[in-house]
Amino acid sequence: MKVVGIGLLLSGLIAGCSTGMRDIDFINRQYEVSYNIDSTKGMDSARIAGLLNAKTVLNFLEGGQGTVHTQWGMVSKDSSFNWKLQEDQLVINDQSYTVEKLFKGYKLKSDAEMLIFRQQP
């Protein structure tokens, strides 16, 4: 009887978590980011052009910290960001993204943009 009860409980917990994301899926991993931006959601065209022409790599560190390296041709910039998993969302610097698991990465969506994370070796 206890085995059946535990099985039902585990089934309910697994079904309740649609993406199955865990901190360990991000900690000490790097993801190259591709952008798909909806310009009708308030982002100016200069910023859109800059993002679409950039090569961006996010490195997720322990403790909710991370570094981002962005390169435009010969110019690059390094900065930091904060991140956390909150239910089925990844929050980066107070911007929430719904997450869908892909073969070697994730698809993140917010109101104005879609990001594709491809895990780097």
Side-chain angles (χ1 to χ4, degrees):
M1 184 73 157
K2 286 186 180 180
V3 174
V4 173
I6 292 172
L8 289 174
L9 177 63
L10 289 175
S11 295
L13 290 173
I14 292 169
C17 183
S18 64
T19 62
M21 291 185 319
R22 304 166 299 163
D23 285 351
I24 198 167
D25 295 326
F26 292 94
I27 293 174
N28 295 323
R29 297 189 186 190
Q30 292 184 0
Y31 293 92
E32 183 175 348
V33 180
S34 300
Y35 299 92
N36 183 355
I37 300 167
D38 183 351
S39 62
T40 64
K41 301 291 184 175
M43 192 178 292
D44 66 57
S45 59
R47 179 150 188 249
I48 292 171
L51 289 174
L52 294 176
N53 293 319
K55 179 179 179 185
T56 304
V57 176
L58 280 84
N59 184 17
F60 290 82
L61 306 172
E62 292 185 41
Q65 301 295 309
T67 59
V68 58
H69 177 80
T70 307
Q71 186 165 349
W72 303 270
M74 299 293 290
V75 177
S76 65
K77 178 182 177 183
D78 292 317
S79 56
S80 60
F81 65 92
N82 297 314
W83 70 276
K84 65 182 173 182
L85 290 175
Q86 194 169 26
E87 297 176 7
D88 286 341
Q89 295 193 340
L90 176 62
V91 180
I92 300 175
N93 287 342
D94 298 323
Q95 174 65 51
S96 295
Y97 298 92
T98 58
V99 180
E100 179 183 332
K101 179 91 169 117
L102 301 175
F103 175 63
K104 287 190 176 183
Y106 297 93
K107 180 183 348 179
L108 285 73
K109 288 184 181 180
S110 72
D111 289 338
E113 59 190 352
M114 181 176 68
L115 311 174
I116 303 297
F117 280 20
R118 289 185 191 88
Q119 187 171 343
Q120 299 297 293

